[in-house]
Amino acid sequence: MKTLVILISGRGSNMQALLNADLNVDRMVVISNNPRAEGLQIAQQQGVETCVVDHRDFKDRQGFDEVLAEKIAEFQPKLVALAGFMRILSDNFVRRYQDRLINIHPSLLPAFPGLATHARALHEGVKIHGCTVHFVTPQLDHGPIIIQAAVAVLPEDTEASLAYRVLQQEHRIFPQAVRWFMNDQVKVTGDVVQIAHASVSQITLYSPGLAE
Ligand code: GRF
């Protein structure tokens, strides 16, 4: 049984992209640290199992992470996907799920780890921006890269317009990365990921800039 556990904190559009895709999984479970996450309702409407581990019920990160890790373990997932999960996970959590924990990040890593990536890209005047799916390691937003997609930064871009175009690409690359993982096509050697039976143009997507 191939189970995918998806962790969310809010809107859940990346989660939805996963729920809508053909991922070669037998079971999907959505877990949120935020009982008010919009994504929880979307998942429930689609008949997907959900649960909440509210970080506010715990006095420290370690306590929250231990309960979250145990909750996830109940489902014996092949893969855990962070889809807009806005909590930093402790080293113990990351080590427990190492090699089966991936994240979607709205920048071309290693550029712009952390928050406010689109504002920072505009501020730095980069001409190409994008998104990355990577394995999670103890160092924030730094793990081995599975797939990236780039968009042009347009002269008239605002934070919102750039975020919109990057998000469209997120919705393409996240399901692709999960599908490869579920199909056992993903091999990690040190910091480098190789995808069996995938072309360079599938691993590095480029969008010419305007909304599709
Ligand atoms: C996305 O931009 C994702 O890359 C980042 O958080 C945002 C979550 O959006 N980690 P959504 O909840 O998937 O719509």
Side-chain angles (χ1 to χ4, degrees), residues 6-26:
I6 305 170
L7 300 188
I8 63 165
S9 295
R11 179 177 58 180
S13 72
N14 276 292
M15 172 210 75
Q16 184 145 32
L18 295 178
L19 299 185
N20 293 346
D22 181 6
L23 297 176
N24 186 20
V25 301
D26 303 305

Side-chain angles (χ1 to χ4, degrees), residues 83-155:
F85 186 69
M86 302 308 283
R87 306 292 303 170
I88 293 175
L89 294 164
S90 62
D91 290 4
N92 280 345
F93 182 101
V94 171
R95 270 193 284 274
R96 178 163 177 181
Y97 286 100
Q98 201 167 1
D99 300 329
R100 52 186 175 127
L101 180 63
I102 66 172
N103 180 46
I104 177 94
H105 182 75
S107 79
L108 290 174
L109 292 173
F112 308 123
L115 297 173
T117 55
H118 309 306
R120 287 155 64 207
L122 288 172
H123 182 74
E124 295 288 344
V126 298
K127 302 303 180 205
I128 296 177
H129 186 45
C131 48
T132 303
V133 180
H134 65 97
F135 283 100
V136 176
T137 57
Q139 193 181 356
L140 184 69
D141 297 332
H142 267 86
I145 291 169
I146 300 168
I147 183 171
Q148 294 185 302
V151 303
V153 179
L154 305 178

Side-chain angles (χ1 to χ4, degrees), residues 6-212:
I6 305 170
L7 300 188
I8 63 165
S9 295
R11 179 177 58 180
S13 72
N14 276 292
M15 172 210 75
Q16 184 145 32
L18 295 178
L19 299 185
N20 293 346
D22 181 6
L23 297 176
N24 186 20
V25 301
D26 303 305
R27 182 186 188 191
M28 289 198 257
V29 180
V30 173
I31 303 177
S32 181
N33 64 303
N34 171 16
R36 290 195 196 82
E38 291 165 58
L40 282 175
Q41 283 182 7
I42 297 169
Q44 284 157 6
Q45 279 159 9
Q46 298 200 10
V48 175
E49 216 173 325
T50 63
C51 47
V52 172
V53 181
D54 189 340
H55 66 275
R56 286 166 300 194
D57 293 343
F58 299 86
K59 66 177 187 312
D60 56 24
R61 187 188 307 283
Q62 205 67 35
F64 168 69
D65 280 11
E66 278 168 22
V67 171
L68 179 65
E70 282 303 309
K71 175 53 76 179
I72 294 170
E74 285 175 22
F75 301 106
Q76 298 185 298
K78 181 175 169 80
L79 181 66
V80 179
L82 307 182
F85 186 69
M86 302 308 283
R87 306 292 303 170
I88 293 175
L89 294 164
S90 62
D91 290 4
N92 280 345
F93 182 101
V94 171
R95 270 193 284 274
R96 178 163 177 181
Y97 286 100
Q98 201 167 1
D99 300 329
R100 52 186 175 127
L101 180 63
I102 66 172
N103 180 46
I104 177 94
H105 182 75
S107 79
L108 290 174
L109 292 173
F112 308 123
L115 297 173
T117 55
H118 309 306
R120 287 155 64 207
L122 288 172
H123 182 74
E124 295 288 344
V126 298
K127 302 303 180 205
I128 296 177
H129 186 45
C131 48
T132 303
V133 180
H134 65 97
F135 283 100
V136 176
T137 57
Q139 193 181 356
L140 184 69
D141 297 332
H142 267 86
I145 291 169
I146 300 168
I147 183 171
Q148 294 185 302
V151 303
V153 179
L154 305 178
E156 64 273 24
D157 260 331
T158 61
E159 198 179 332
S161 66
L162 187 55
Y164 176 77
R165 286 203 314 287
V166 171
L167 192 64
Q168 287 182 311
Q169 300 307 314
E170 294 183 36
H171 297 164
R172 293 173 71 187
I173 67 173
F174 209 18
Q176 177 65 274
V178 171
R179 193 179 306 116
W180 281 332
F181 190 92
M182 290 297 171
N183 289 339
D184 297 319
Q185 288 172 260
V186 179
K187 184 176 170 221
V188 189
T189 312
D191 287 336
V192 177
V193 174
Q194 282 176 314
I195 310 292
H197 316 297
S199 65
V200 171
S201 63
Q202 283 177 301
I203 296 166
T204 314
L205 302 176
Y206 178 70
S207 154
L210 300 172
E212 288 164 302

